[in-house]
Amino acid sequence: HVTVALSGLGGDEVAGGYERYRGALLGERLTWLPEPLVRHLIRPIAAALPDPKSGRQWAQRLKRFTASLSLPFDERYFEFICHQNREAREGLLTDRVREAISPDEPREIYESYVREVAEADALHRALYADLKLYLPGDLLTLMDRVSMAHSLEVRVPFLDHELLEYAATISPALKVRGMRLKHVLKEVARDLLPESFIDRRKMGFSAPLAVWFRGELRGWVEEVLAPTELAR
């Protein structure tokens, strides 16, 4: 019975709502840590942590965080948003494919956008990269396909160009305040929504693939990825 719906997509990119923003900024505060301490103690301990059977991603996030501790902000954020590092990407490709494409292409695209806002604050550079890459390349594409499959029109008021332009003028300190994400948006909405909604823990919308692949889908995964199947 609904023909048009409103989506909150863009709120995280407009006001600083992703956990990775917090992690990238926290890394800036820890640049004083000696590299030998990071390399020989902190990283090995984090790398040895097992992934929780619950599917929660805290261990993976901690591994990525410690692996990128010594990097400059823009490089650190790139590592946060990559699904695989360069070595992993290369390892997935045959020699013939590697000759035809560049394993560094994702980094080159990311850096081209970051250069457009090189003078901006670190957080705003990350927000801009997500506006240019994550939203059109993932979230908006997914929403468009799913909504159109059900003849539903979905609109995204947070991505109104005038609102985006205005949000870019707001101090980054009002977006991620200390360790509090989306501070300014929460304060704007505080008189409109219940406190329990405003202050609740962020809940992502990712599928628990790790749990499924270890559980009910394990047989299917092992069948699809069997050496004989991959060779064929």
Side-chain angles (χ1 to χ4, degrees), residues 4-211:
V4 180
L6 298 180
S7 167
L9 279 182
D12 289 315
E13 290 79 6
V14 165
Y18 291 129
E19 294 284 349
R20 58 180 179 263
Y21 300 146
R22 183 156 49 194
L25 292 172
L26 179 60
E28 288 293 277
R29 299 181 185 180
L30 297 178
T31 53
W32 57 269
L33 287 172
E35 172 58 23
L37 176 66
V38 174
R39 184 169 61 249
H40 298 300
L41 181 63
I42 297 176
R43 279 188 196 137
I45 291 175
L49 291 172
D51 290 334
K53 292 183 179 180
S54 65
R56 296 284 297 278
Q57 297 181 356
W58 64 266
Q60 281 297 326
R61 288 174 177 169
L62 186 59
K63 291 173 186 179
R64 284 193 177 198
F65 178 75
T66 55
S68 62
L69 257 182
S70 304
L71 298 176
F73 181 89
D74 293 328
E75 292 183 37
R76 180 187 311 124
Y77 192 69
F78 175 76
E79 294 300 325
F80 281 8
I81 62 177
C82 269
H83 283 286
Q84 295 94 21
N85 59 29
R86 190 184 193 281
E87 292 76 17
R89 288 198 300 276
E90 276 201 308
L92 289 169
L93 306 175
T94 64
D95 292 338
R96 182 172 62 84
V97 174
R98 272 201 298 270
E99 291 173 2
I101 69 171
S102 168
D104 288 319
E105 185 179 13
R107 178 183 290 274
E108 292 165 0
I109 294 172
Y110 166 80
E111 289 177 346
S112 71
Y113 284 120
V114 170
R115 280 196 298 272
E116 293 179 6
V117 288
E119 302 304 315
D121 175 88
L123 176 62
H124 277 175
R125 297 198 301 273
L127 294 171
Y128 187 74
D130 282 337
L131 281 169
K132 291 292 189 177
L133 294 168
Y134 186 43
L135 271 171
D138 189 330
L139 300 182
L140 291 172
T141 302
L142 173 63
M143 183 188 70
D144 188 56
R145 289 176 178 172
V146 173
S147 60
M148 288 295 99
H150 296 276
S151 301
L152 178 67
E153 181 180 346
V154 177
R155 296 176 183 171
V156 280
F158 277 126
L159 297 182
D160 177 88
H161 72 279
E162 292 183 351
L163 177 60
L164 281 176
E165 290 166 0
Y166 174 69
T169 69
I170 298 174
S171 167
L174 291 176
K175 296 175 182 178
V176 179
R177 189 164 198 171
M179 289 288 102
R180 188 177 191 232
L181 299 172
K182 238 171 357 187
H183 171 76
V184 67
L185 189 56
K186 290 178 178 178
E187 292 309 304
V188 166
R190 189 166 294 281
D191 293 337
L192 306 174
L193 297 166
E195 290 284 326
S196 59
F197 181 85
I198 297 292
D199 295 321
R200 74 174 183 173
R201 182 176 63 84
K202 182 175 178 63
M203 300 176 69
F205 196 59
S206 55
L209 291 178
V211 175

